[in-house]
Amino acid sequence: SDRVPDAKTVWLFRERLTQAGAIERLFDRFDATLRNAGYLPMSGQILDATLVAAPKQRNTNTEKADLRAGRIPEDWQDKPSKLSHKDRHARWTLKFTKAKRQDDGTIPSTDLAIPFFGYKSHVSIDRKFRLIRKWKTTDAAASDGARLREGLLDKTNTASSVWADTAYRS
């Protein structure tokens, strides 16, 4: 039949691809197919990051300290069901947004800082064709600028122009 898979089915499929180490290989094959069809990235690239929410965790201070240090909290180790429900990689950050106009028409001089728990999806696209060329997923607190040194820029793009917000300036 022509049924569209639900979000859980798509998520499980992506998880299986990730566990099999297949996503990079599939992306490389797609890239090779584009190149063989004559696609050449020559118009510069655009970089941006999107915050992706994760369910908030209810952890004790000791558990938080263990997680920050990269350890599995002691009382989780013998409880596989609890461990499977805990996101050990997401982190907190502040999401800045413009303050809304007041009833009298004035705009507050300060931006709002909203706590946010989750991940960042960093993406580099070709400016002309809008195809994703490179991507990286990090915890939400990770610095955007550091992703440039980790291969977020597409070195095959023959144009030197890069459009990005100030978070990538470093």
Side-chain angles (χ1 to χ4, degrees), residues 6-140:
D6 65 4
K8 179 78 172 182
T9 302
V10 172
W11 182 84
L12 287 171
F13 180 69
R14 190 185 192 297
E15 280 299 301
R16 288 187 181 138
L17 287 174
T18 301
Q19 291 166 0
I23 290 181
E24 287 287 339
R25 290 193 312 272
L26 288 170
F27 196 78
D28 290 343
R29 284 184 68 184
F30 177 70
D31 194 54
T33 301
L34 289 173
R35 274 195 317 278
N36 292 338
Y39 163 80
L40 295 172
M42 303 186 313
S43 59
Q45 50 198 309
I46 301 171
L47 293 124
D48 202 6
T50 301
L51 289 169
V52 180
K56 292 179 182 73
Q57 308 291 296
R58 305 287 183 238
N59 300 325
T60 66
N61 287 337
T62 305
E63 290 169 339
K64 289 176 191 175
D66 284 341
L67 293 171
R68 275 193 293 273
R71 295 185 301 266
I72 295 174
E74 190 176 322
D75 43 325
W76 295 6
Q77 293 174 11
D78 59 348
K79 297 178 183 167
S81 62
K82 182 172 189 170
L83 186 59
S84 71
H85 286 94
K86 293 291 189 173
D87 189 330
R88 301 186 322 259
H89 306 290
R91 294 290 180 266
W92 284 96
T93 192
L94 291 175
K95 178 180 178 180
F96 292 94
T97 187
K98 295 285 179 197
K100 292 192 169 130
R101 189 176 298 272
Q102 301 295 314
D103 291 337
D104 64 4
T106 61
I107 299 175
S109 60
T110 58
D111 290 340
L112 299 174
I114 301 166
F116 183 89
F117 183 75
Y119 296 91
K120 274 186 194 173
S121 178
H122 307 265
V123 177
S124 171
I125 66 169
D126 177 80
R127 187 171 155 255
K128 180 178 179 183
F129 296 105
R130 303 291 198 250
L131 293 171
I132 294 174
R133 304 295 298 147
K134 302 283 181 180
W135 83 93
K136 179 94 177 154
T137 302
T138 64
D139 65 72

